[in-house]
Amino acid sequence: MRVVPRLVSPFAALLATMLALPAGAQTIYPINRAEILAGSHFDLKVEFPGLVDAAALKLEINGKDVAAVLGRSAELIAKEDGKDASSLILRSASIRKPGSYTVTASDGNSSKSVTWNVYATSAKPAAKNVILFIGDGFSIGHRTAARILSRGIEDGKFVGKLAMDSMPYMALLTTQGTDSIITDSANAAHAYTTGHKSCVNALGVYCSRAASTLDHPKVETITEIAKRQGLAVGAVTNSEIEDATPASMAAHTRRRSDFNDIVKMFYDSKIDVLMGGGSPNFLPKSTPGSKRTDDVDYIEQFKSAGYSFATTKSEMNQEADTAKTTKLLGLYNTSNIDGALDLKFLKKGSVSKFPDQPDVVEEMRAAIKILSRNKKGFVLMVESARIDKYAHSMDAERSIYDVIMLDNAVKAAQDWAKANGNNTMILVTADHSHPVSVIGTVNDNVVADEMRNKVGTYQEAGFPDYQRNDEGYPVSVDVPRRLRFVFGATPDYYDTFKPFLDGEFVPAIKNADGTMVANEKYKDIPGAVLRVGNLPNKGPSAANQGVHSGDDVILTAMGPGAERVHGQMENSDLFRIMAEALSLAPQGKSAGVKK
Ligand SMILES: [Zn+2]
């Protein structure tokens, strides 16, 4: 979702100014307690609060000059971005020898230290492949709801498990970043793909004071690291491919909405398989519908670099079935690919315009076919993106159907792993949660004047009426007794107590004076009631939809290396689990920088 600047109270602003005043407030990136994979590349940056005397500067690691440890000195930027503040920068540093590294920066008056932990990985990989599933915004309430809709309950027990329920290892993951208790999909996915914590809207960078969004201190992504080891890498999603979660596989920008730059970064990363929506950012500005501001035709660029190109499910399957295809770019929609409820049942959204879009399961199957042609192994990120988008729009059924789609993809991956050597680690998680819960059912057969009195709680909730098809989807979403799935943080909206059969819910819109108000479109639906929201409705934080929550998310895992998944962990620990499983640190002990 769009992220808006926070309002700052005059007191907080004054306090911030006071805190910034004393000398010695230099900031060092990577930050304190950073966990760094041995051999991975990172930009070391020190920001001083004011101008510094070059002769007085000292930058040391474990008491030695930085050049002795990293192979070269940091460059002094006397007046960064033309302002009265100096910085030191050393791009693409790396450390091969594991251990504790204390970095101390001094300007002659004051000094600041941070300590990094550099870790190696075992010489022999535990897993050949890693498949990382990210259900965007996929919360515990979502998982329970999907199990109820998809499996049903008899005698108090679920009739079957979700595919992800059968996986043996589980942990609770935090989702917080460096700036806030609430994260977004960029920052959260970045923690998985780099192992570093960052801030809202950032991908592959620490959030420094640099003016340009593309000039912040970079850390490497798993794509860069795994490709250097000879592995194939892929990212598939049903969002626009430039969107935050897939972008985290390759992007380095402070601003996730730098879509045109992100397309270039995908290209430069040489990622092998890339599938989703969002074609307009690949097309030169001269092409009608293009969103680029330059004349580069990235579809042609990818093709020239040896990629097959697909715009439909049929083309995708044809390319995947061609034995010589080892690289594929698939762009199946100008915007997001439609979710499962529209794609498979209601045919709403953009299905009439794009009638041959793959779902996430089909994308993943094609991606695995292509990536597994690399004999060294692969890393694949699979995102069910619209769980989050529909949770924002408070469209419960669409969101839950896309959890079932995610689980079907997990099942397909499990079957593939079992049939192909049992050497694939499978991880299933969310990037962050939403404040959502299953609280009971709504029953149209209850006689009552108001819809709220048709809501059953406790024993009155009973069990909903859904009938499932072979893929585990309810064949009809609008059954008489259906799930009551509620949202805890909302704008003003009309609660209809019903699924939205005509298209995705749009809960609130901006009125003439800029206030977010309930969308009157739903006012006259029989039984609809106005709910006064609890989110800001005015100012820069005004919300026209639901928001993320800071609750932990579940990580479920199986396969070689998955036994490291247990207890309560930081989201950035997931990167290390993948790095350890695939032995992504180079072997050998010499420290140094990228040549
Ligand atoms: Zn979101």
Side-chain angles (χ1 to χ4, degrees):
M1 69 169 295
R2 191 176 61 97
V3 173
V4 290
R6 297 290 176 276
L7 286 171
V8 177
S9 75
F11 173 73
L14 179 66
L15 188 68
T17 311
M18 287 164 62
L19 289 171
L21 278 179
Q26 48 263 52
T27 308
I28 301 172
Y29 304 100
I31 58 178
N32 195 36
R33 298 197 288 156
E35 296 275 326
I36 300 175
L37 173 68
S40 70
H41 302 160
F42 58 89
D43 293 345
L44 166 58
K45 186 182 185 192
V46 183
E47 294 180 341
F48 297 93
L51 295 175
V52 295
D53 172 7
L57 280 183
K58 250 180 158 180
L59 180 59
E60 293 181 335
I61 299 182
N62 288 350
K64 292 181 207 152
D65 184 72
V66 66
V69 181
L70 297 180
R72 55 190 155 93
S73 299
E75 178 197 341
L76 175 66
I77 306 165
K79 294 185 76 169
E80 189 181 6
D81 295 318
K83 300 197 176 99
D84 284 341
S86 309
S87 292
L88 283 169
I89 184 103
L90 200 167
R91 302 267 182 207
S92 263
S94 77
I95 301 174
R96 285 199 166 204
K97 190 178 174 190
S100 177
Y101 289 80
T102 297
V103 184
T104 304
S106 166
D107 60 5
N109 297 313
S110 66
S111 78
K112 166 90 183 277
S113 294
V114 299
T115 298
W116 307 329
N117 177 40
V118 175
Y119 62 91
T121 55
S122 65
K124 196 173 174 304
K128 181 180 179 187
N129 315 302
V130 168
I131 304 176
L132 169 63
F133 288 93
I134 301 180
D136 204 303
F138 170 38
S139 315
I140 294 181
H142 276 121
R143 184 159 170 165
T144 306
R147 196 184 299 117
I148 293 170
L149 263 65
S150 180
R151 297 295 185 265
I153 301 171
E154 279 174 18
D155 305 319
K157 291 183 181 173
F158 281 90
V159 177
K161 287 176 184 289
L162 295 173
M164 63 181 81
D165 291 337
S166 69
M167 295 162 68
Y169 300 102
M170 193 179 270
L172 276 184
L173 292 187
T174 64
T175 65
Q176 284 68 31
T178 56
D179 60 336
S180 170
I181 55 169
I182 305 297
T183 191
D184 79 317
S185 294
N187 179 26
H190 155 100
Y192 295 156
T193 58
T194 69
H196 292 262
K197 292 275 190 174
S198 193
C199 68
V200 169
N201 286 344
L203 291 161
V205 295
Y206 278 104
C207 298
S208 73
R209 66 184 174 200
S212 163
T213 58
L214 304 180
D215 200 27
H216 292 257
K218 296 181 181 67
V219 289
E220 271 194 312
T221 68
I222 194 162
T223 300
E224 292 158 300
I225 298 164
K227 284 207 63 84
R228 195 159 55 235
Q229 302 281 351
L231 302 179
V233 181
V236 304
T237 182
N238 60 345
S239 72
E240 295 171 288
I241 193 67
E242 312 84 359
D243 208 350
T245 308
S248 76
M249 293 293 284
H252 299 282
T253 171
R254 173 68 183 82
R255 184 172 58 200
R256 57 183 277 180
S257 59
D258 287 340
F259 276 13
N260 290 329
D261 298 300
I262 288 168
V263 168
K264 180 180 187 304
M265 292 168 192
F266 273 133
Y267 177 76
D268 291 341
S269 79
K270 300 187 169 60
I271 191 166
D272 301 273
V273 171
L274 202 55
M275 291 195 241
S279 52
N281 296 94
F282 285 73
L283 297 167
K285 69 177 182 198
S286 53
T287 304
S290 163
K291 289 185 181 170
R292 290 202 71 79
T293 51
D294 58 26
D295 284 314
V296 185
D297 184 336
Y298 271 97
I299 290 173
E300 283 307 317
Q301 295 268 18
F302 273 87
K303 283 184 186 170
S304 305
Y307 287 76
S308 300
F309 180 59
T311 60
T312 61
K313 174 165 68 175
S314 315
E315 289 175 4
M316 173 189 81
N317 286 333
Q318 201 180 340
E319 294 299 343
D321 287 338
T322 304
K324 68 175 182 13
T325 303
T326 54
K327 288 168 175 284
L328 176 72
L329 173 66
L331 298 172
Y332 310 113
N333 198 305
T334 48
S335 179
N336 300 307
I337 295 173
D338 290 287
L341 183 57
D342 289 312
L343 206 54
K344 294 170 186 290
F345 297 93
L346 302 177
K347 308 294 177 189
K348 298 293 180 183
S350 64
V351 172
S352 59
K353 200 172 161 198
F354 299 99
D356 191 22
Q357 303 168 81
D359 73 358
V360 170
V361 187
E362 293 158 337
E363 285 184 313
M364 188 202 69
R365 283 207 177 99
I368 289 179
K369 253 183 209 171
I370 296 167
L371 295 170
S372 61
R373 290 177 184 140
N374 182 320
K375 295 301 165 216
K376 286 191 168 171
F378 65 83
V379 177
L380 173 61
M381 193 287 295
V382 181
E383 186 197 22
S384 183
R386 300 195 75 166
I387 299 168
D388 174 72
K389 295 185 192 299
Y390 296 135
H392 281 297
S393 64
M394 302 165 59
D395 193 318
E397 287 77 8
R398 281 182 172 76
S399 195
I400 297 164
Y401 270 58
D402 279 14
V403 176
I404 298 171
M405 178 165 64
L406 170 71
D407 195 61
N408 287 342
V410 171
K411 175 75 171 71
Q414 291 170 339
D415 291 347
W416 182 87
K418 197 172 170 193
N420 288 275
N422 272 324
N423 51 14
T424 299
M425 181 168 73
I426 299 174
L427 303 166
V428 184
T429 191
D431 49 353
H432 57 76
S433 52
H434 276 264
V436 292
S437 273
V438 173
I439 63 104
T441 57
V442 183
N443 190 346
D444 287 337
N445 295 325
V446 170
V447 179
D449 291 343
E450 290 182 64
M451 284 303 292
R452 68 186 293 173
N453 292 318
K454 298 183 182 216
V455 171
T457 59
Y458 298 103
Q459 70 270 27
E460 303 304 330
F463 302 98
D465 296 331
Y466 305 104
Q467 302 293 319
R468 293 115 203 132
N469 69 10
D470 292 345
E471 289 184 293
Y473 293 106
V475 286
S476 174
V477 68
D478 193 21
V479 291
R481 186 188 279 200
R482 53 193 177 266
L483 204 67
R484 181 65 171 161
F485 189 78
V486 298
F487 297 83
T490 76
D492 293 5
Y493 71 103
Y494 284 96
D495 187 349
T496 67
F497 298 84
K498 290 186 176 73
F500 301 97
L501 303 181
D502 293 332
E504 184 181 357
F505 186 38
V506 181
I509 51 173
K510 201 182 260 184
N511 73 4
D513 75 4
T515 306
M516 293 297 178
V517 296
N519 189 348
E520 299 274 311
K521 178 183 167 185
Y522 304 93
K523 189 180 174 189
D524 297 325
I525 291 176
V529 290
L530 177 66
R531 301 245 176 261
V532 175
N534 50 18
L535 292 172
N537 62 355
K538 292 188 175 76
S541 295
N544 63 353
Q545 53 180 1
V547 295
H548 301 172
S549 66
D551 305 348
D552 290 352
V553 294
I554 296 179
L555 167 61
T556 311
M558 67 183 289
E563 63 282 354
R564 292 177 188 273
V565 173
H566 58 82
Q568 186 270 332
M569 310 175 89
E570 291 289 345
N571 57 358
S572 48
D573 295 337
L574 187 151
F575 171 84
R576 184 165 177 174
I577 288 165
M578 296 192 292
E580 303 258 18
L582 294 169
S583 291
L584 290 183
Q587 303 306 311
K589 287 184 177 170
S590 63
V593 293
K594 186 168 82 171
K595 293 289 185 288

